[in-house]
Amino acid sequence: MMPPFGSWVKARDEDSGNQIYAVVYHVTTSPIDSVHRARALGLSLQELRDQQPQIFAMLKTEFRAAIVGYQPPLDSVPQTRMDSVLRTERNGSSRQAILSETVYQHLPPRPPQVHQAVYYCEPEEIVHFSQQLDFLRTLLQVNGAPVDSLTAAAIREIYRLRKADRDWLVQAGRTLSLLLKDDYDRLRTILSQIHL
């Protein structure tokens, strides 16, 4: 499935146990090889599935996501921070993982490895992660992405999941104004894209 722009995804680094969070900033579908070129046939997706289902086997969807933070496993957090919660992954398995309540909003010690699966984040995870707003700095510095639209999309998604929590939105706006300093046009552009 193609994840939407600005959606939140997660992956678990199996070696460290860290749950890594990221925001999708680029999605593309292309042929699986460099020999064939994809061309629009003027058919709806359903018509294409009915008439030429083999086409989907020749396409791949790739996406890029900006890592904005991570949540370590319970056993790696100092004893003074041992608030824990049992979280069940909705990834088709019945495996459970105990994660710390502590969330770090910077790059993890290492990224997830190539073959580790990526899943959509649960709404509760996004709400918990967004209690702090340090991740906005990371989103504003992503190279090769429309960072203003990306930041607005991430804030918009959180605002929706927080059921239009105005206090949180005001705090996000204040944080953005500090990060953007005197760039009022850019701040206005981002804020104008945040709505329900």
Side-chain angles (χ1 to χ4, degrees), residues 12-33:
R12 182 172 311 280
D13 176 25
E14 290 179 7
D15 289 342
S16 68
N18 290 334
Q19 177 110 308
I20 300 168
Y21 298 100
V23 179
V24 174
Y25 70 88
H26 179 82
V27 183
T28 184
T29 300
S30 60
I32 57 174
D33 60 30

Side-chain angles (χ1 to χ4, degrees), residues 47 56 83 91 99 127 180 182:
E47 291 170 333
F56 294 99
D83 285 338
N91 61 11
L99 295 175
V127 168
L180 295 174
D182 295 329

Side-chain angles (χ1 to χ4, degrees), residues 13 19 41 63 69 72 93 141 147 160 174 186-187:
D13 176 25
Q19 177 110 308
L41 299 177
F63 69 91
S93 73
Q141 296 174 348
V147 292
R160 183 185 66 78
R174 287 182 180 150
R186 195 169 168 204
L187 176 63

